[in-house]
Amino acid sequence: MKTRKLGTAGLEVSALGLGCMGMTFGYAPFPEKKQSIAVIHAAIEQGINFFDTAEVYGPYNNEELLGEAIAPYKNQVIIATKFGFNIQAGKMQGVNSRPENIKKVAEASLKRLSIDVIDLFYQHRVDPNVPIEEVAGTVQLLIQEGKVRYFGLSEAGAETIRRAHAVQTVSALQSEYSLWTRQHEQEIIPTIEKLGIGLVAFSPLGKGFLAGKIDETTKFETGDIRSVLPRFTEDARISNQALIDLLQRFAGKRNATPAQIALAWVFAQKPWIVPIPGTTKLHRLNENIGSVSIKLTTEELNEIETASSRIKVVGTRYTEAMEKATGL
């Protein structure tokens, strides 16, 4: 497995990571724990060492699952987790990045993951009630105490990133980025490139849509976040099929799959972008790993750019209420 550097403080991870959220959160129905652990073990055995989780995924049981899975491999993995929400009675209740909460979450995450230090600690979403300088300073103290190695932000704006980075080096920004979610190319990506911050791309397969297995007949179960997302309405899926047709065309030329071309496109954008597709299935894991060896040519990238620019993606990423409440 190739590696990529995130930021300038020394964080280097496998070129492809594994997002663990869907194992317990967001994409019901969830697999049996042993199946998820098998996927995590298979990922490690094939060279993936970068795993993404968060306290709110569940809440809590995602970190516990990952902690159990990595127990035999503790010295071989790099774990990213997140703080920044209030959790009450098992439910997320708005943002909270007050220093006391950050410290509390760090201690709890260390225990659930059964590790001695959190490799990458993200602020999950920006808290408008807490200055980002105070957040960065709190994580800096955790780094000095040896409880955290690297600081990250998730879905933060350019000015927030600059202000945080001025206090404590930000190694990675985690944000959604894929062939159908490209708004960060306008300001965010130029900003982090200038600052030397890596990008961890979540949902690089468009929550599964870019894998080409979802169409207008697909039924999403209760508890699957896609059942309420504007981009996944039946009409939107029909319109957005044009993007899948584009990926299929290039996949056919490369003896690859649409998912592999979609991931190869992300890899090709910058050498400091690390996609973290999530999956609960071994064959999908293997498919995603296969993308690492696909290097799209300049001509292919230009063709994809030209063709995709003519396709209008229908539907917003999230509902207005979801964007306002959490940005998730």
Side-chain angles (χ1 to χ4, degrees):
M1 175 67 70
K2 300 172 185 177
T3 61
R4 291 191 164 197
K5 292 181 180 179
L6 292 173
T8 59
L11 179 57
E12 187 169 351
V13 303
S14 53
L16 185 77
L18 179 63
C20 298
M21 183 186 84
M23 294 175 177
T24 65
F25 182 81
Y27 297 102
F30 306 113
E32 292 185 9
K33 183 169 70 172
K34 64 180 181 181
Q35 179 180 329
S36 294
I37 289 176
V39 169
I40 294 168
H41 287 177
I44 296 171
E45 295 298 332
Q46 295 183 74
I48 290 177
N49 71 357
F50 186 40
F51 296 88
D52 183 85
T53 184
E55 63 161 355
V56 297
Y57 300 160
Y60 307 133
N61 59 0
N62 202 265
E63 287 184 323
E64 292 167 350
L65 167 67
L66 184 57
E68 182 177 341
I70 65 170
Y73 304 94
K74 281 188 181 179
N75 297 324
Q76 301 176 41
V77 297
I78 296 167
I79 303 300
T81 191
K82 310 174 191 75
F83 64 86
F85 284 110
N86 266 324
I87 300 174
Q88 297 176 3
K91 293 186 178 181
M92 188 165 53
Q93 303 287 343
V95 293
N96 181 358
S97 281
R98 293 193 300 273
E100 61 270 24
N101 190 54
I102 297 173
K103 294 173 185 176
K104 183 180 77 171
V105 172
E107 295 292 349
S109 292
L110 286 168
K111 290 179 181 178
R112 285 190 290 267
L113 289 160
S114 298
I115 55 178
D116 298 321
V117 58
I118 296 167
D119 295 298
L120 178 57
F121 205 30
Y122 294 107
Q123 182 190 40
H124 207 150
R125 292 294 184 271
V126 173
D127 185 341
N129 299 313
V130 181
I132 194 62
E133 291 84 359
E134 194 170 346
V135 174
T138 302
V139 176
Q140 185 177 70
L141 290 175
L142 291 170
I143 292 172
Q144 292 169 355
E145 293 170 3
K147 295 175 181 178
V148 171
R149 287 198 173 98
Y150 302 101
F151 176 39
L153 298 171
S154 182
E155 294 277 275
E159 182 59 26
T160 297
I161 295 166
R162 285 190 285 265
R163 287 168 52 197
H165 192 67
V167 175
Q168 169 59 45
T169 298
V170 177
S171 290
L173 172 75
Q174 181 181 111
S175 284
E176 184 169 358
Y177 187 58
S178 70
L179 196 55
W180 80 341
T181 302
R182 301 180 60 177
Q183 73 274 17
H184 293 318
E185 292 174 347
Q186 298 171 20
E187 184 179 17
I188 300 299
I189 288 178
T191 296
I192 63 175
E193 184 166 35
K194 183 177 181 180
L195 295 174
I197 298 169
L199 176 64
V200 176
F202 75 80
S203 295
L205 294 177
K207 295 179 174 59
F209 187 79
L210 300 183
K213 301 298 183 182
I214 295 172
D215 61 22
E216 70 272 18
T217 67
T218 302
K219 303 298 181 186
F220 299 112
E221 300 206 21
T222 301
D224 187 322
I225 190 174
R226 294 170 295 189
S227 66
V228 299
L229 298 181
R231 198 169 284 186
F232 284 88
T233 65
E234 184 176 330
D235 288 345
R237 281 178 271 159
I238 292 171
S239 296
N240 293 332
Q241 182 63 35
L243 200 52
I244 302 303
D245 295 341
L246 171 62
L247 291 170
Q248 288 278 20
R249 191 162 80 243
F250 283 89
K253 295 177 182 178
R254 282 303 200 94
N255 192 29
T257 66
Q260 290 173 331
I261 298 299
L263 288 171
W265 180 88
V266 174
F267 284 126
Q269 300 312 300
K270 300 288 182 182
W272 38 263
I273 296 179
V274 176
I276 53 166
T279 186
T280 60
K281 299 178 176 64
L282 283 170
H283 73 277
R284 286 293 185 200
L285 172 70
N286 294 331
E287 179 183 1
N288 293 344
I289 290 173
S291 70
V292 180
S293 61
I294 298 174
K295 184 173 175 59
L296 296 173
T297 66
T298 301
E299 182 181 1
E300 287 172 321
L301 289 166
N302 288 338
E303 287 182 35
I304 291 172
E305 186 67 27
T306 299
S308 63
S309 69
R310 301 190 186 111
I311 298 170
K312 177 176 173 54
V313 176
V314 175
T316 55
R317 287 197 303 160
Y318 302 110
T319 65
E320 186 177 347
M322 292 168 83
E323 287 279 15
K324 186 176 181 180
T326 66
L328 282 172

